[in-house]
Amino acid sequence: NSLANGLCILCSTLNIGCNNCTSTSTCGTCNWVQGYVFLLNRCYTITPNGYYNNTGYAIACDTTVDCATCQYQAYNCTACITMNLDGNTCVNPCPAGKVGINKICVTCTSNCRTCSNIQSNCTSCIPNLTPSVYLSNYQCITSCPNYTYANSSTS
């Protein structure tokens, strides 16, 4: 209940998602069954950015592992602050075979072992493929262009 103009008012009638309240704008807990999330004495219909919903309570994402947004757990990242997202982990640099594009680790194109800047900019090729592939002009190709030869030891 809340006191307004000398009258007791049921918190549930305020339509701000409160189970209990101390004023018309300050909640003690939220109605999480109806989807409300509690943060700093307020109830939200959507979990604020930088937090995840833990049974109706907004819990901060773990910024020590660079999580900007998270889901289910504080360290289960869905976006990173400064690093690149690889699965649900923030990494820098991206692992071999991936390149960071818009803060997300993206798999290099076919036959690239490593790439840079964009996923189709190969810097090395996957070894021991059949047929063999060779790096030429930032692409991994099966036959070398005119006036070049396939160097088996360096690919």
Side-chain angles (χ1 to χ4, degrees):
N1 288 334
S2 178
L3 189 63
N5 299 326
L7 301 172
C8 290
I9 298 172
L10 279 174
C11 298
S12 60
T13 62
L14 296 172
N15 291 324
I16 57 173
C18 293
N19 276 343
N20 62 53
C21 55
T22 56
S23 74
T24 56
S25 62
T26 305
C27 297
T29 60
C30 298
N31 188 336
W32 68 275
V33 174
Q34 290 183 348
Y36 286 95
V37 182
F38 181 78
L39 177 65
L40 301 173
N41 298 321
R42 290 193 55 206
C43 297
Y44 296 87
T45 54
I46 296 171
T47 305
N49 267 347
Y51 296 85
Y52 73 97
N53 183 346
N54 184 358
T55 58
Y57 290 90
I59 308 295
C61 297
D62 189 347
T63 56
T64 65
V65 293
D66 205 53
C67 280
T69 59
C70 58
Q71 186 176 349
Y72 310 122
Q73 299 279 337
Y75 55 84
N76 189 49
C77 308
T78 54
C80 302
I81 299 166
T82 59
M83 297 198 277
N84 297 303
L85 185 66
D86 187 36
N88 291 104
T89 306
C90 296
V91 297
N92 196 26
C94 291
K98 295 183 178 184
V99 64
I101 300 174
N102 297 323
K103 292 188 183 179
I104 298 173
C105 293
V106 179
T107 302
C108 299
T109 54
S110 180
N111 298 332
C112 290
R113 183 177 66 178
T114 58
C115 55
S116 67
N117 300 330
I118 58 173
Q119 60 196 117
S120 60
N121 195 36
C122 299
T123 53
S124 68
C125 300
I126 297 171
N128 305 321
L129 290 178
T130 305
S132 294
V133 290
Y134 304 96
L135 183 64
S136 176
N137 199 24
Y138 300 103
Q139 292 184 349
C140 294
I141 55 177
T142 54
S143 59
C144 293
N146 290 340
Y147 311 111
T148 64
Y149 72 97
N151 184 333
S152 300
S153 62
T154 62
S155 294

Short mmCIF file of all heavy atoms in Angstrom, two decimals, residues 89-148:
data_model
loop_
_atom_site.label_atom_id
_atom_site.label_comp_id
_atom_site.label_asym_id
_atom_site.label_seq_id
_atom_site.Cartn_x
_atom_site.Cartn_y
_atom_site.Cartn_z
N THR A 89 31.58 -15.09 -25.38
CA THR A 89 32.76 -14.63 -24.68
C THR A 89 33.39 -13.47 -25.44
O THR A 89 33.41 -13.47 -26.67
CB THR A 89 33.79 -15.79 -24.57
OG1 THR A 89 33.16 -16.91 -23.96
CG2 THR A 89 34.99 -15.40 -23.74
N CYS A 90 33.91 -12.49 -24.71
CA CYS A 90 34.60 -11.36 -25.33
C CYS A 90 36.08 -11.69 -25.40
O CYS A 90 36.69 -12.07 -24.39
CB CYS A 90 34.37 -10.09 -24.52
SG CYS A 90 32.63 -9.60 -24.51
N VAL A 91 36.66 -11.57 -26.60
CA VAL A 91 38.07 -11.92 -26.83
C VAL A 91 38.76 -10.83 -27.64
O VAL A 91 38.11 -10.07 -28.36
CB VAL A 91 38.20 -13.27 -27.57
CG1 VAL A 91 37.64 -14.41 -26.74
CG2 VAL A 91 37.53 -13.23 -28.93
N ASN A 92 40.08 -10.78 -27.50
CA ASN A 92 40.89 -9.88 -28.33
C ASN A 92 42.29 -10.46 -28.40
O ASN A 92 42.95 -10.56 -27.38
CB ASN A 92 40.91 -8.47 -27.73
CG ASN A 92 41.40 -7.45 -28.73
OD1 ASN A 92 41.28 -7.64 -29.92
ND2 ASN A 92 41.96 -6.38 -28.22
N PRO A 93 42.74 -10.90 -29.56
CA PRO A 93 42.04 -10.88 -30.84
C PRO A 93 41.10 -12.08 -30.98
O PRO A 93 41.03 -12.92 -30.08
CB PRO A 93 43.19 -10.98 -31.85
CG PRO A 93 44.20 -11.83 -31.14
CD PRO A 93 44.11 -11.43 -29.68
N CYS A 94 40.42 -12.14 -32.12
CA CYS A 94 39.58 -13.31 -32.41
C CYS A 94 40.50 -14.52 -32.60
O CYS A 94 41.65 -14.38 -33.01
CB CYS A 94 38.77 -13.08 -33.69
SG CYS A 94 37.48 -11.83 -33.50
N PRO A 95 40.00 -15.73 -32.34
CA PRO A 95 40.83 -16.93 -32.54
C PRO A 95 41.16 -17.15 -34.01
O PRO A 95 40.51 -16.57 -34.90
CB PRO A 95 39.95 -18.05 -31.98
CG PRO A 95 38.57 -17.53 -31.96
CD PRO A 95 38.67 -16.04 -31.84
N ALA A 96 42.15 -17.97 -34.26
CA ALA A 96 42.56 -18.29 -35.64
C ALA A 96 41.37 -18.78 -36.44
O ALA A 96 40.53 -19.51 -35.92
CB ALA A 96 43.66 -19.35 -35.63
N GLY A 97 41.27 -18.34 -37.66
CA GLY A 97 40.17 -18.72 -38.53
C GLY A 97 38.99 -17.78 -38.46
O GLY A 97 37.98 -17.97 -39.11
N LYS A 98 39.13 -16.71 -37.63
CA LYS A 98 38.06 -15.72 -37.50
C LYS A 98 38.67 -14.32 -37.52
O LYS A 98 39.85 -14.14 -37.22
CB LYS A 98 37.28 -15.92 -36.20
CG LYS A 98 36.51 -17.23 -36.14
CD LYS A 98 35.69 -17.35 -34.88
CE LYS A 98 34.90 -18.65 -34.87
NZ LYS A 98 34.03 -18.72 -33.68
N VAL A 99 37.82 -13.36 -37.87
CA VAL A 99 38.24 -11.95 -37.89
C VAL A 99 37.17 -11.11 -37.22
O VAL A 99 35.98 -11.44 -37.32
CB VAL A 99 38.52 -11.49 -39.35
CG1 VAL A 99 37.26 -11.53 -40.20
CG2 VAL A 99 39.15 -10.11 -39.38
N GLY A 100 37.57 -10.06 -36.51
CA GLY A 100 36.61 -9.19 -35.84
C GLY A 100 35.99 -8.19 -36.80
O GLY A 100 36.70 -7.38 -37.40
N ILE A 101 34.67 -8.26 -36.96
CA ILE A 101 33.93 -7.32 -37.79
C ILE A 101 32.78 -6.78 -36.95
O ILE A 101 31.96 -7.55 -36.46
CB ILE A 101 33.39 -8.00 -39.08
CG1 ILE A 101 34.56 -8.53 -39.92
CG2 ILE A 101 32.55 -7.02 -39.89
CD1 ILE A 101 34.14 -9.34 -41.13
N ASN A 102 32.75 -5.47 -36.75
CA ASN A 102 31.74 -4.83 -35.91
C ASN A 102 31.64 -5.48 -34.53
O ASN A 102 30.56 -5.76 -34.04
CB ASN A 102 30.36 -4.81 -36.59
CG ASN A 102 30.37 -4.01 -37.87
OD1 ASN A 102 31.04 -2.99 -37.96
ND2 ASN A 102 29.64 -4.48 -38.86
N LYS A 103 32.80 -5.77 -33.93
CA LYS A 103 32.93 -6.35 -32.59
C LYS A 103 32.38 -7.77 -32.48
O LYS A 103 32.00 -8.22 -31.41
CB LYS A 103 32.29 -5.45 -31.53
CG LYS A 103 33.00 -4.13 -31.31
CD LYS A 103 32.39 -3.44 -30.12
CE LYS A 103 33.01 -2.09 -29.89
NZ LYS A 103 32.40 -1.41 -28.76
N ILE A 104 32.33 -8.49 -33.61
CA ILE A 104 31.90 -9.90 -33.61
C ILE A 104 32.92 -10.71 -34.38
O ILE A 104 33.34 -10.31 -35.47
CB ILE A 104 30.50 -10.06 -34.26
CG1 ILE A 104 29.45 -9.29 -33.45
CG2 ILE A 104 30.12 -11.52 -34.37
CD1 ILE A 104 28.09 -9.24 -34.09
N CYS A 105 33.36 -11.84 -33.81
CA CYS A 105 34.28 -12.73 -34.51
C CYS A 105 33.51 -13.49 -35.58
O CYS A 105 32.56 -14.20 -35.28
CB CYS A 105 34.94 -13.71 -33.53
SG CYS A 105 36.04 -12.92 -32.35
N VAL A 106 33.94 -13.30 -36.83
CA VAL A 106 33.28 -13.91 -37.98
C VAL A 106 34.26 -14.90 -38.61
O VAL A 106 35.44 -14.59 -38.77
CB VAL A 106 32.86 -12.83 -39.01
CG1 VAL A 106 32.19 -13.45 -40.21
CG2 VAL A 106 31.94 -11.81 -38.35
N THR A 107 33.78 -16.09 -38.98
CA THR A 107 34.63 -17.11 -39.58
C THR A 107 35.14 -16.66 -40.94
O THR A 107 34.39 -16.12 -41.76
CB THR A 107 33.84 -18.43 -39.73
OG1 THR A 107 33.37 -18.82 -38.43
CG2 THR A 107 34.70 -19.54 -40.30
N CYS A 108 36.45 -16.88 -41.17
CA CYS A 108 37.06 -16.56 -42.47
C CYS A 108 36.40 -17.41 -43.56
O CYS A 108 35.87 -18.48 -43.28
CB CYS A 108 38.55 -16.86 -42.44
SG CYS A 108 39.50 -15.92 -41.22
N THR A 109 36.47 -16.92 -44.79
CA THR A 109 35.83 -17.65 -45.90
C THR A 109 36.52 -18.99 -46.13
O THR A 109 37.60 -19.26 -45.63
CB THR A 109 35.86 -16.83 -47.20
OG1 THR A 109 37.20 -16.44 -47.46
CG2 THR A 109 34.98 -15.62 -47.12
N SER A 110 35.89 -19.78 -46.94
CA SER A 110 36.31 -21.15 -47.23
C SER A 110 37.80 -21.24 -47.54
O SER A 110 38.34 -20.46 -48.32
CB SER A 110 35.49 -21.66 -48.42
OG SER A 110 35.86 -22.97 -48.72
N ASN A 111 38.44 -22.22 -46.92
CA ASN A 111 39.84 -22.57 -47.10
C ASN A 111 40.84 -21.60 -46.47
O ASN A 111 42.03 -21.84 -46.51
CB ASN A 111 40.19 -22.77 -48.59
CG ASN A 111 39.40 -23.91 -49.19
OD1 ASN A 111 39.03 -24.85 -48.49
ND2 ASN A 111 39.14 -23.84 -50.48
N CYS A 112 40.38 -20.49 -45.89
CA CYS A 112 41.29 -19.57 -45.19
C CYS A 112 41.57 -20.10 -43.79
O CYS A 112 40.65 -20.41 -43.05
CB CYS A 112 40.68 -18.18 -45.05
SG CYS A 112 40.53 -17.25 -46.56
N ARG A 113 42.86 -20.18 -43.44
CA ARG A 113 43.21 -20.51 -42.06
C ARG A 113 43.17 -19.25 -41.21
O ARG A 113 42.72 -19.26 -40.08
CB ARG A 113 44.59 -21.16 -42.00
CG ARG A 113 44.96 -21.59 -40.58
CD ARG A 113 46.27 -22.29 -40.52
NE ARG A 113 47.32 -21.34 -40.87
CZ ARG A 113 48.61 -21.61 -40.89
NH1 ARG A 113 49.02 -22.81 -40.61
NH2 ARG A 113 49.48 -20.69 -41.20
N THR A 114 43.65 -18.14 -41.78
CA THR A 114 43.59 -16.83 -41.12
C THR A 114 43.20 -15.78 -42.15
O THR A 114 43.40 -15.96 -43.35
CB THR A 114 44.96 -16.44 -40.50
OG1 THR A 114 45.95 -16.44 -41.53
CG2 THR A 114 45.35 -17.39 -39.38
N CYS A 115 42.60 -14.69 -41.66
CA CYS A 115 42.21 -13.60 -42.54
C CYS A 115 42.34 -12.29 -41.76
O CYS A 115 42.47 -12.31 -40.54
CB CYS A 115 40.78 -13.79 -43.07
SG CYS A 115 39.51 -14.00 -41.79
N SER A 116 42.30 -11.17 -42.46
CA SER A 116 42.41 -9.87 -41.79
C SER A 116 41.43 -8.88 -42.39
O SER A 116 41.10 -8.96 -43.58
CB SER A 116 43.83 -9.32 -41.88
OG SER A 116 44.16 -9.00 -43.21
N ASN A 117 40.96 -7.97 -41.56
CA ASN A 117 40.03 -6.89 -41.92
C ASN A 117 38.65 -7.37 -42.32
O ASN A 117 37.67 -6.94 -41.76
CB ASN A 117 40.60 -5.97 -42.99
CG ASN A 117 41.89 -5.31 -42.55
OD1 ASN A 117 42.08 -5.07 -41.37
ND2 ASN A 117 42.78 -5.05 -43.48
N ILE A 118 38.56 -8.22 -43.32
CA ILE A 118 37.27 -8.80 -43.75
C ILE A 118 37.44 -10.31 -43.90
O ILE A 118 38.56 -10.79 -44.07
CB ILE A 118 36.75 -8.17 -45.07
CG1 ILE A 118 37.76 -8.34 -46.20
CG2 ILE A 118 36.38 -6.71 -44.87
CD1 ILE A 118 37.26 -7.89 -47.56
N GLN A 119 36.35 -11.05 -43.85
CA GLN A 119 36.43 -12.50 -43.82
C GLN A 119 36.95 -13.11 -45.11
O GLN A 119 37.44 -14.24 -45.11
CB GLN A 119 35.08 -13.10 -43.41
CG GLN A 119 33.92 -12.78 -44.30
CD GLN A 119 32.60 -13.07 -43.64
OE1 GLN A 119 31.83 -12.20 -43.43
NE2 GLN A 119 32.34 -14.32 -43.32
N SER A 120 36.92 -12.39 -46.22
CA SER A 120 37.40 -12.94 -47.49
C SER A 120 38.83 -12.52 -47.80
O SER A 120 39.35 -12.83 -48.87
CB SER A 120 36.47 -12.53 -48.63
OG SER A 120 36.43 -11.12 -48.73
N ASN A 121 39.51 -11.81 -46.87
CA ASN A 121 40.87 -11.34 -47.07
C ASN A 121 41.84 -12.33 -46.41
O ASN A 121 42.33 -12.11 -45.31
CB ASN A 121 41.01 -9.94 -46.45
CG ASN A 121 42.25 -9.22 -46.90
OD1 ASN A 121 42.68 -9.36 -48.03
ND2 ASN A 121 42.83 -8.45 -45.99
N CYS A 122 42.11 -13.45 -47.11
CA CYS A 122 42.93 -14.53 -46.55
C CYS A 122 44.37 -14.10 -46.39
O CYS A 122 44.94 -13.46 -47.28
CB CYS A 122 42.87 -15.76 -47.45
SG CYS A 122 41.22 -16.44 -47.66
N THR A 123 44.96 -14.47 -45.25
CA THR A 123 46.38 -14.23 -45.02
C THR A 123 47.16 -15.54 -44.94
O THR A 123 48.37 -15.54 -45.04
CB THR A 123 46.60 -13.40 -43.73
OG1 THR A 123 45.92 -14.04 -42.65
CG2 THR A 123 46.06 -11.99 -43.90
N SER A 124 46.45 -16.66 -44.80
CA SER A 124 47.06 -17.99 -44.91
C SER A 124 45.94 -18.99 -45.21
O SER A 124 44.77 -18.71 -44.95
CB SER A 124 47.81 -18.38 -43.63
OG SER A 124 46.92 -18.58 -42.57
N CYS A 125 46.34 -20.12 -45.77
CA CYS A 125 45.36 -21.13 -46.18
C CYS A 125 45.43 -22.35 -45.26
O CYS A 125 46.44 -22.61 -44.60
CB CYS A 125 45.63 -21.56 -47.61
SG CYS A 125 45.54 -20.20 -48.80
N ILE A 126 44.33 -23.10 -45.22
CA ILE A 126 44.28 -24.34 -44.45
C ILE A 126 45.23 -25.35 -45.12
O ILE A 126 45.10 -25.61 -46.32
CB ILE A 126 42.84 -24.89 -44.38
CG1 ILE A 126 41.93 -23.89 -43.67
CG2 ILE A 126 42.81 -26.25 -43.69
CD1 ILE A 126 40.46 -24.24 -43.73
N PRO A 127 46.18 -25.90 -44.35
CA PRO A 127 47.13 -26.85 -44.95
C PRO A 127 46.51 -28.24 -45.15
O PRO A 127 45.50 -28.57 -44.54
CB PRO A 127 48.26 -26.90 -43.92
CG PRO A 127 47.61 -26.56 -42.62
CD PRO A 127 46.47 -25.63 -42.95
N ASN A 128 47.14 -29.01 -46.00
CA ASN A 128 46.83 -30.43 -46.22
C ASN A 128 45.42 -30.70 -46.70
O ASN A 128 44.84 -31.73 -46.38
CB ASN A 128 47.10 -31.24 -44.94
CG ASN A 128 48.52 -31.05 -44.43
OD1 ASN A 128 49.45 -30.97 -45.23
ND2 ASN A 128 48.67 -30.94 -43.12
N LEU A 129 44.85 -29.78 -47.47
CA LEU A 129 43.54 -30.04 -48.07
C LEU A 129 43.73 -30.82 -49.36
O LEU A 129 44.79 -30.80 -49.98
CB LEU A 129 42.82 -28.72 -48.39
CG LEU A 129 42.31 -27.88 -47.21
CD1 LEU A 129 41.67 -26.60 -47.72
CD2 LEU A 129 41.33 -28.66 -46.37
N THR A 130 42.70 -31.53 -49.78
CA THR A 130 42.72 -32.22 -51.06
C THR A 130 41.54 -31.72 -51.88
O THR A 130 40.40 -31.90 -51.45
CB THR A 130 42.61 -33.76 -50.87
OG1 THR A 130 43.66 -34.17 -49.99
CG2 THR A 130 42.73 -34.48 -52.20
N PRO A 131 41.75 -31.06 -53.02
CA PRO A 131 43.08 -30.69 -53.55
C PRO A 131 43.71 -29.59 -52.71
O PRO A 131 43.03 -28.88 -51.99
CB PRO A 131 42.77 -30.20 -54.96
CG PRO A 131 41.37 -29.70 -54.89
CD PRO A 131 40.67 -30.55 -53.86
N SER A 132 45.04 -29.44 -52.85
CA SER A 132 45.78 -28.42 -52.11
C SER A 132 45.32 -27.03 -52.53
O SER A 132 44.87 -26.81 -53.66
CB SER A 132 47.27 -28.55 -52.40
OG SER A 132 47.74 -29.77 -51.88
N VAL A 133 45.41 -26.07 -51.60
CA VAL A 133 45.08 -24.68 -51.90
C VAL A 133 46.30 -23.81 -51.65
O VAL A 133 47.14 -24.12 -50.80
CB VAL A 133 43.87 -24.18 -51.07
CG1 VAL A 133 42.58 -24.84 -51.50
CG2 VAL A 133 44.09 -24.35 -49.59
N TYR A 134 46.38 -22.71 -52.41
CA TYR A 134 47.52 -21.82 -52.36
C TYR A 134 47.05 -20.38 -52.23
O TYR A 134 46.05 -19.99 -52.84
CB TYR A 134 48.38 -21.98 -53.62
CG TYR A 134 48.83 -23.42 -53.81
CD1 TYR A 134 48.12 -24.28 -54.64
CD2 TYR A 134 49.94 -23.90 -53.13
CE1 TYR A 134 48.51 -25.61 -54.78
CE2 TYR A 134 50.33 -25.22 -53.27
CZ TYR A 134 49.62 -26.06 -54.08
OH TYR A 134 50.00 -27.37 -54.22
N LEU A 135 47.80 -19.60 -51.46
CA LEU A 135 47.45 -18.20 -51.25
C LEU A 135 47.91 -17.37 -52.44
O LEU A 135 49.07 -17.37 -52.81
CB LEU A 135 48.11 -17.68 -49.96
CG LEU A 135 47.78 -16.25 -49.55
CD1 LEU A 135 46.29 -16.11 -49.23
CD2 LEU A 135 48.62 -15.84 -48.34
N SER A 136 46.96 -16.66 -53.04
CA SER A 136 47.26 -15.77 -54.15
C SER A 136 46.30 -14.59 -54.10
O SER A 136 45.08 -14.78 -54.14
CB SER A 136 47.10 -16.51 -55.49
OG SER A 136 47.31 -15.62 -56.57
N ASN A 137 46.85 -13.40 -53.99
CA ASN A 137 46.04 -12.18 -53.95
C ASN A 137 44.94 -12.27 -52.90
O ASN A 137 43.78 -11.97 -53.15
CB ASN A 137 45.46 -11.89 -55.35
CG ASN A 137 45.02 -10.45 -55.48
OD1 ASN A 137 45.51 -9.58 -54.77
ND2 ASN A 137 44.07 -10.20 -56.36
N TYR A 138 45.30 -12.70 -51.67
CA TYR A 138 44.41 -12.79 -50.51
C TYR A 138 43.26 -13.77 -50.68
O TYR A 138 42.23 -13.64 -50.04
CB TYR A 138 43.89 -11.40 -50.11
CG TYR A 138 44.99 -10.44 -49.76
CD1 TYR A 138 45.40 -9.46 -50.63
CD2 TYR A 138 45.64 -10.56 -48.54
CE1 TYR A 138 46.44 -8.60 -50.31
CE2 TYR A 138 46.67 -9.71 -48.19
CZ TYR A 138 47.06 -8.73 -49.09
OH TYR A 138 48.09 -7.89 -48.76
N GLN A 139 43.45 -14.76 -51.55
CA GLN A 139 42.46 -15.83 -51.71
C GLN A 139 43.18 -17.17 -51.70
O GLN A 139 44.33 -17.27 -52.12
CB GLN A 139 41.70 -15.68 -53.03
CG GLN A 139 40.80 -14.47 -53.07
CD GLN A 139 40.00 -14.42 -54.37
OE1 GLN A 139 40.26 -15.15 -55.32
NE2 GLN A 139 39.02 -13.54 -54.41
N CYS A 140 42.49 -18.21 -51.24
CA CYS A 140 43.04 -19.56 -51.26
C CYS A 140 42.43 -20.29 -52.45
O CYS A 140 41.22 -20.53 -52.49
CB CYS A 140 42.72 -20.28 -49.95
SG CYS A 140 43.55 -19.52 -48.54
N ILE A 141 43.29 -20.60 -53.43
CA ILE A 141 42.82 -21.17 -54.70
C ILE A 141 43.52 -22.50 -54.97
O ILE A 141 44.60 -22.76 -54.44
CB ILE A 141 43.04 -20.17 -55.86
CG1 ILE A 141 44.51 -19.74 -55.92
CG2 ILE A 141 42.15 -18.95 -55.68
CD1 ILE A 141 44.86 -18.82 -57.07
N THR A 142 42.91 -23.33 -55.80
CA THR A 142 43.46 -24.66 -56.07
C THR A 142 44.49 -24.65 -57.19
O THR A 142 45.32 -25.55 -57.27
CB THR A 142 42.33 -25.66 -56.43
OG1 THR A 142 41.58 -25.12 -57.51
CG2 THR A 142 41.44 -25.92 -55.23
N SER A 143 44.45 -23.66 -58.07
CA SER A 143 45.47 -23.58 -59.13
C SER A 143 45.96 -22.13 -59.23
O SER A 143 45.17 -21.19 -59.15
CB SER A 143 44.92 -24.07 -60.47
OG SER A 143 43.81 -23.30 -60.86
N CYS A 144 47.26 -22.00 -59.38
CA CYS A 144 47.87 -20.67 -59.39
C CYS A 144 47.62 -19.97 -60.72
O CYS A 144 47.53 -20.61 -61.77
CB CYS A 144 49.37 -20.79 -59.13
SG CYS A 144 49.73 -21.37 -57.47
N PRO A 145 47.54 -18.63 -60.70
CA PRO A 145 47.33 -17.88 -61.94
C PRO A 145 48.57 -17.93 -62.84
O PRO A 145 49.64 -18.35 -62.41
CB PRO A 145 47.05 -16.46 -61.46
CG PRO A 145 47.49 -16.39 -60.05
CD PRO A 145 47.54 -17.77 -59.52
N ASN A 146 48.39 -17.52 -64.08
CA ASN A 146 49.50 -17.48 -65.04
C ASN A 146 50.68 -16.72 -64.45
O ASN A 146 50.51 -15.76 -63.70
CB ASN A 146 49.06 -16.81 -66.34
CG ASN A 146 48.09 -17.67 -67.13
OD1 ASN A 146 48.01 -18.89 -66.92
ND2 ASN A 146 47.33 -17.04 -68.02
N TYR A 147 51.88 -17.17 -64.80
CA TYR A 147 53.15 -16.55 -64.42
C TYR A 147 53.48 -16.74 -62.94
O TYR A 147 54.34 -16.06 -62.40
CB TYR A 147 53.21 -15.07 -64.80
CG TYR A 147 52.79 -14.82 -66.23
CD1 TYR A 147 51.60 -14.17 -66.52
CD2 TYR A 147 53.57 -15.29 -67.29
CE1 TYR A 147 51.20 -13.97 -67.83
CE2 TYR A 147 53.17 -15.10 -68.62
CZ TYR A 147 51.99 -14.44 -68.88
OH TYR A 147 51.58 -14.25 -70.18
N THR A 148 52.77 -17.66 -62.27
CA THR A 148 53.10 -18.01 -60.89
C THR A 148 53.13 -19.53 -60.78
O THR A 148 52.65 -20.24 -61.68
CB THR A 148 52.06 -17.47 -59.87
OG1 THR A 148 50.80 -18.10 -60.10
CG2 THR A 148 51.90 -15.95 -59.98
#
